[in-house]
Amino acid sequence: DTEVTQTPKHLVMGMTNKKSLKCEQHMGHRAMYWYKQKAKKPPELMFVYSYEKLSINESVPSRFSPECPNSSLLNLHLHALQPEDSALYLCASSQTSGAISGANVLTFGAGSRLTVL
Amino acid sequence: GQNIDQPTEMTATEGAIVQINCTYQTSGFNGLFWYQQHAGEAPTFLSYNVLDGLEEKGRFSSFLSRSKGYSYLLLKELQMKDSASYLCAVRDKDYKLSFGAGTTVTVRA
């Protein structure tokens, strides 16, 4: 299995809703990432988990709450979002988040397209 | 922080060659990556350079000059399916990967 699987593919939510995005990989990777991508813009790093511990939070507002229940799963809990949070949310994984011999390539999921009304 | 620049758009004819340039300024350097992204899809890995020189992979080649903060991606024998956005990404001293804005390549018949 060489894939990162994200669900749901599409999500529409109101500003008062609580929802979650889910990400799963079975490649034995120990680093997992959330990126946010708006139309015609590059992916922007939000969070990095290394060995199930949060290692990087790029000053993301608290209405986004990440969770890593185990080495294969990564969730992003959403609450009280704003319309400007509408974007494609990409999950990625890699062998580690730090130094390693070789490329240590990030493998991305297909993304969850979020629309906040 | 990172500053990664690449052209916004390029157009080429099927069968031709296109070169996408990327310049970067980064706090430390731990590798440069090229990803391909079709509209609405995930970025997919194309190439990785950490030492100066040319890496060739089939129709795609990538070049790096660390002293100049410069890389290019060369796409040969263009096919219609190569129409996509090409993202240059740099890994910094903290092993964070940051992306350029992407170059949209349109291949015409």
Side-chain angles (χ1 to χ4, degrees):
Chain A
D1 188 350
T2 58
E3 287 187 349
V4 175
T5 304
Q6 291 188 242
T7 54
K9 290 193 187 309
H10 298 275
L11 178 63
V12 179
M13 61 186 290
M15 289 189 282
T16 57
N17 292 157
K18 282 186 183 181
K19 297 284 184 184
S20 297
L21 306 180
K22 296 185 184 303
C23 175
E24 192 168 357
Q25 57 88 14
H26 296 287
M27 295 179 279
H29 289 174
R30 302 313 299 266
M32 295 187 78
Y33 309 78
W34 281 113
Y35 279 81
K36 172 182 176 179
Q37 187 177 27
K38 295 188 80 83
K40 299 190 185 298
K41 298 287 187 186
E44 294 179 351
L45 182 64
M46 299 174 72
F47 303 104
V48 180
Y49 271 82
S50 178
Y51 290 86
E52 295 122 71
K53 288 188 168 39
L54 183 65
S55 60
I56 295 177
N57 176 344
E58 292 287 274
S59 303
V60 179
S62 60
R63 57 187 186 267
F64 296 91
S65 174
E67 178 198 21
C68 190
N70 60 54
S71 60
S72 299
L73 293 174
L74 184 67
N75 299 322
L76 186 63
H77 302 299
L78 314 170
H79 175 52
L81 294 193
Q82 305 295 311
E84 59 264 29
D85 297 322
S86 298
L88 181 68
Y89 288 84
L90 294 165
C91 174
S93 70
S94 65
Q95 282 183 275
T96 73
S97 62
I100 187 175
S101 64
N104 196 23
V105 174
L106 264 67
T107 300
F108 284 86
S112 293
R113 185 161 298 282
L114 174 68
T115 303
V116 182
L117 301 176
Chain B
Q2 320 273 16
N3 188 17
I4 303 170
D5 288 316
Q6 48 183 130
T8 306
E9 292 180 335
M10 302 183 77
T11 301
T13 306
E14 202 172 11
I17 298 172
V18 71
Q19 177 175 314
I20 306 169
N21 296 324
C22 172
T23 58
Y24 64 89
Q25 294 171 313
T26 183
S27 53
F29 178 82
N30 278 297
L32 186 142
F33 298 77
W34 285 95
Y35 279 82
Q36 180 191 61
Q37 186 176 28
H38 286 98
E41 296 182 13
T44 54
F45 169 71
L46 289 179
S47 70
Y48 166 69
N49 295 73
V50 67
L51 299 176
D52 291 352
L54 188 68
E55 294 284 338
E56 296 190 81
K57 240 181 171 184
R59 294 190 297 114
F60 294 172
S61 304
S62 57
F63 171 83
L64 174 68
S65 168
R66 288 171 296 169
S67 62
K68 294 181 179 174
Y70 168 71
S71 172
Y72 68 72
L73 179 69
L74 196 69
L75 286 62
K76 294 179 263 190
E77 301 168 20
L78 278 174
Q79 301 175 8
M80 299 300 287
K81 67 178 182 180
D82 298 329
S83 292
S85 182
Y86 292 84
L87 301 166
C88 175
V90 178
R91 189 160 61 194
D92 67 14
K93 63 178 175 56
D94 297 320
Y95 281 80
K96 288 196 294 185
L97 190 67
S98 297
F99 288 84
T103 299
T104 300
V105 171
T106 302
V107 181
R108 298 175 307 191

